[in-house]
Amino acid sequence: MYKKDQRVVITLDAGGTNFVFSAMRGCDFIIEPVTYQSNSHDLDLCLSTMVKGFQEVIDKLDEKPCAISFAFPGPADYKAGIIGGYLPNFPSFRDGVALGPFLKSKFGLPVYINNDGDLFALGEATGGALSEINDKIEALGGTRRYNNLLGYTFGTGLGIGSVIDGRLNLGNNACVETFCLRNKFEPEIIVEEGASIRAVKRYYATITGCEHELTPYDIFKIAEGEKDGDRDAAIKSFEMFGEVAGDAFTSAITLTDSLVVIGGGLTGAMKYIKPALLKELRSTLSTRSGEPVQRVQMNVFDLDNEEEFKQFAAGNARPLKVYGTDETVMYDPTKRTGVMISKLGASKAISIGAYVFALQNLDNRN
């Protein structure tokens, strides 16, 4: 509903190295981005850089923006706009910074801050994967529509966002997280240690028996046969990532009855990650009597696979006679969910999420 909205929201891609400022209208960027070093080690310099960047964007616009909205690394009290705690990329924020109130005082605009996982999910739910899936189902003659989406980001960490009925689920404490779940291979260790960039590097080093200064992209090239190295070990490293991530996905999907979209830098290796991830999602547990129980209480489809998508869209509807009458109703007993890779890319989806979140809040306030 916001793709044709004419209001302008200022956005920020806040990295530990660079700040990239821009503005959106109707879920699209409308100016060339403004980039400055973030100076994250020095609070005064960092905040003055933010003010400079936002002001430069405002000066480029032909109308007054209605809000500032962006993702910022946690931990944080996002509702209050306060950033603080253990922030490796922003050490000057560790003692707590009232960033939202500071920017509001400088610009006289509402300021909305969230984490990147939340905004990624909202962006995909409102301007990406969810509408794409529903439109494709309709084009194939299906009748079911989906409203819940989990967004996962594969990168430095394992991020998550949850959208329920088109609204971002922030929980009671803005603390919907996945990084701290148990790791399937090492239950006493957090799952992020098994499903992140550092995990892929560690898996490859462990399997090959020696340390390597290799990036996941290097390991992917080895898996592809484009770089010297142990190809089997490279493929296995991504498969282990997929197994650990899939294990973490199962509970979240079952508890929220959501579709899943995945973004982030490691999605380039999904040809090796996804089979293990799907195998985990389709795995079973059992009752004490030995009866198998699906870990995810829906049939799980690969939505990037055209044949599987057709099955997902069609379902298994059949007429069901209404007892004691000549009437029938259509009944589809097949519960379905699915996993797909982001086509927007994490950065664009996060920006759309920031845009939509600001407008949703302004509309509710009004």
Side-chain angles (χ1 to χ4, degrees):
M1 64 181 291
Y2 292 108
K3 287 186 176 181
K4 296 182 179 179
D5 201 294
Q6 293 302 297
R7 287 173 288 182
V8 174
V9 174
I10 302 174
T11 65
L12 166 64
D13 183 353
T17 302
N18 291 315
F19 287 152
V20 183
F21 304 86
S22 193
M24 298 194 93
R25 179 192 287 123
C27 294
D28 281 320
F29 292 112
I30 58 172
I31 65 167
E32 287 297 314
V34 174
T35 303
Y36 287 109
Q37 288 187 341
S38 57
N39 300 301
S40 58
H41 63 288
D42 183 316
L43 183 60
D44 292 338
L45 190 54
C46 183
L47 293 180
S48 65
T49 301
M50 271 196 195
V51 171
K52 181 181 179 181
F54 283 129
Q55 187 61 56
E56 189 167 337
V57 169
I58 291 171
D59 292 343
K60 287 175 177 281
L61 298 173
D62 56 9
E63 63 184 275
K64 183 178 179 180
C66 64
I68 295 171
S69 185
F70 59 96
F72 203 87
D77 180 348
Y78 289 112
K79 188 173 183 179
I82 298 172
I83 311 297
Y86 179 63
L87 291 144
N89 292 329
F90 286 87
S92 61
F93 282 69
R94 289 184 182 182
D95 292 332
V97 177
L99 182 58
F102 167 75
L103 293 172
K104 182 178 180 181
S105 73
K106 287 291 183 181
F107 297 103
L109 294 170
V111 178
Y112 302 101
I113 306 174
N114 274 290
N115 73 40
D116 54 0
D118 286 335
L119 294 183
F120 171 72
L122 183 59
E124 289 287 356
T126 54
L130 202 56
S131 56
E132 177 188 339
I133 289 167
N134 284 327
D135 289 348
K136 196 171 177 181
I137 290 172
E138 184 176 4
L140 290 169
T143 57
R144 185 171 289 187
R145 295 293 177 269
Y146 294 86
N147 302 303
N148 296 352
L149 186 75
L150 290 172
Y152 283 94
T153 52
F154 287 174
T156 304
L158 182 63
I160 189 174
S162 172
V163 173
I164 305 296
D165 287 332
R167 305 289 301 186
L168 187 59
N169 173 24
L170 292 173
N172 291 323
N173 300 285
C175 195
V176 177
E177 295 286 3
T178 194
F179 77 95
C180 50
L181 299 179
R182 286 183 179 272
N183 183 325
K184 179 182 178 181
F185 296 148
E186 301 175 275
E188 73 284 2
I189 303 295
I190 62 171
V191 67
E192 190 169 274
E193 296 292 351
S196 58
I197 286 173
R198 62 186 180 275
V200 174
K201 295 165 68 174
R202 189 182 67 255
Y203 291 147
Y204 185 78
T206 300
I207 295 168
T208 58
C210 56
E211 292 295 328
H212 301 270
E213 293 299 322
L214 297 174
T215 66
Y217 181 62
D218 292 326
I219 297 169
F220 174 73
K221 289 174 71 176
I222 292 169
E224 292 283 274
E226 298 174 358
K227 183 180 177 68
D228 289 340
D230 188 329
R231 186 166 186 264
D232 290 340
I235 292 172
K236 182 65 175 177
S237 298
F238 289 116
E239 289 175 345
M240 292 174 71
F241 177 107
E243 187 172 346
V244 172
D247 181 71
F249 282 21
T250 56
S251 296
I253 294 172
T254 297
L255 289 171
T256 62
D257 193 2
S258 299
L259 301 176
V260 173
V261 62
I262 303 170
L266 286 173
T267 55
M270 283 299 284
K271 64 186 292 185
Y272 300 116
I273 293 171
K274 191 190 280 185
L277 188 149
L278 289 171
K279 182 178 179 181
E280 196 68 22
L281 293 179
R282 293 163 175 164
S283 64
T284 61
L285 299 173
S286 68
T287 64
R288 191 164 294 279
S289 63
E291 182 181 0
V293 177
Q294 293 177 211
R295 293 190 65 191
V296 173
Q297 286 294 293
M298 295 79 79
N299 291 349
V300 179
F301 292 84
D302 179 357
L303 301 182
D304 296 311
N305 180 295
E306 288 301 318
E307 288 305 314
E308 287 200 31
F309 195 99
K310 289 177 183 177
Q311 296 172 41
F312 168 79
N316 190 30
R318 58 181 172 83
L320 182 69
K321 194 168 188 280
V322 178
Y323 182 79
T325 75
D326 293 328
E327 297 179 16
T328 60
V329 293
M330 294 304 295
Y331 169 56
D332 188 344
T334 306
K335 300 177 177 67
R336 308 190 286 284
T337 189
V339 177
M340 72 177 294
I341 301 169
S342 169
K343 292 181 177 62
L344 287 175
S347 181
K348 179 71 178 290
I350 289 167
S351 295
I352 292 174
Y355 179 78
V356 170
F357 186 77
L359 297 188
Q360 285 181 341
N361 278 274
L362 289 172
D363 290 345
N364 284 344
R365 190 175 69 178
N366 293 333

